[in-house]
Amino acid sequence: VASDPDAAQTLTYSILSGNTNGAFAINASTGAITVAYSAALNYEVVTSFALVVKVQDNGTGNLSNQATITVNILNVNELPAISNQAFSVNENSANGTVVGSVVASDPDAGQTITYSILSGNTNGAFAINASTGAITVANSAALNYEVVTSFALVVKVQDNGTGNLSSLATITVNLLNVNELSAISNQAFSVNENSANGTAVGSVVASDPDAGQTLTYSIL
């Protein structure tokens, strides 16, 4: 708002200083201030702008005056930030084994973020610490490389600001194959006394949980 004591004169508005990063524009005819560069309006960087505005008449000498127009930035809750991440862990790892910690952040200073797993956690294989984002093994039996080689956990990170805003990311946990014991149980066969050399007595049954491995037998 500006005025001129001389009737019928036209006023022209301009911003002289304080307009960091070209945040605002002013209508030269009406004095209306509008946002010109949204990215410059970051409450976490600057909370207000002190715009020195000049108003100039079109009379003799084009007289002008100046005033400081303060634009206060109001803090608005913004989405927390999280990106897709990947970790690896040995199959059959014990419950409580640390897999990794999910990294997330919030642009709003002083806010707390909370982590949770929404989907992909087949058979409750993993748990996530709601406060730190640390992922640990919760069901060792579910970590079987011969059944599944990876888990795609959809993790939500939520802030405690207005509206409790949240973001999602896929956290991939790859299982590392570990050699496992072959399996054999006690067995019994029968054979006639005095049987000739080479007579078949029976075939010992054994197996290995690791696909593609070869078993070798010997009498100890």
Side-chain angles (χ1 to χ4, degrees):
V1 175
S3 61
D4 194 288
D6 300 300
Q9 286 200 5
T10 300
L11 298 179
T12 302
Y13 301 83
S14 60
I15 300 174
L16 297 184
S17 63
N19 194 19
T20 307
N21 294 321
F24 303 100
I26 193 167
N27 185 298
S29 301
T30 67
I33 295 175
T34 54
V35 174
Y37 182 42
S38 177
L41 308 188
N42 186 345
Y43 182 88
E44 285 68 42
V45 175
V46 58
T47 58
S48 67
F49 291 76
L51 307 178
V52 176
V53 170
K54 180 176 80 170
V55 58
Q56 179 176 296
D57 67 22
N58 65 335
T60 302
N62 295 122
L63 302 180
S64 64
N65 215 336
Q66 298 176 12
T68 298
I69 310 301
T70 302
V71 181
N72 295 306
I73 307 300
L74 303 178
N75 194 16
V76 174
N77 191 22
E78 299 170 87
L79 286 169
I82 185 174
S83 59
N84 296 337
Q85 295 158 62
F87 303 105
S88 297
V89 66
N90 288 337
E91 65 171 329
N92 306 319
S93 290
N95 291 347
T97 299
V98 176
V99 177
S101 290
V102 177
V103 176
S105 61
D106 194 286
D108 301 298
Q111 286 198 5
T112 300
I113 52 179
T114 303
Y115 301 83
S116 58
I117 298 174
L118 297 186
S119 63
N121 195 20
T122 307
N123 295 319
F126 304 100
I128 192 167
N129 185 299
S131 301
T132 67
I135 295 177
T136 54
V137 174
N139 180 13
S140 177
L143 308 188
N144 188 344
Y145 183 88
E146 285 66 45
V147 175
V148 58
T149 58
S150 68
F151 292 77
L153 307 178
V154 176
V155 169
K156 180 175 79 170
V157 58
Q158 179 175 296
D159 68 22
N160 66 333
T162 303
N164 296 121
L165 301 181
S166 62
S167 298
L168 305 179
T170 298
I171 309 301
T172 302
V173 180
N174 295 304
L175 295 187
L176 303 177
N177 194 16
V178 175
N179 192 22
E180 299 169 87
L181 286 171
S182 52
I184 186 173
S185 59
N186 296 336
Q187 295 160 59
F189 304 106
S190 297
V191 64
N192 289 333
E193 62 175 332
N194 304 318
S195 292
N197 291 348
T199 299
V201 175
S203 292
V204 175
V205 175
S207 62
D208 195 287
D210 300 299
Q213 289 199 2
T214 300
L215 297 179
T216 302
Y217 299 82
S218 61
I219 299 174
L220 298 181

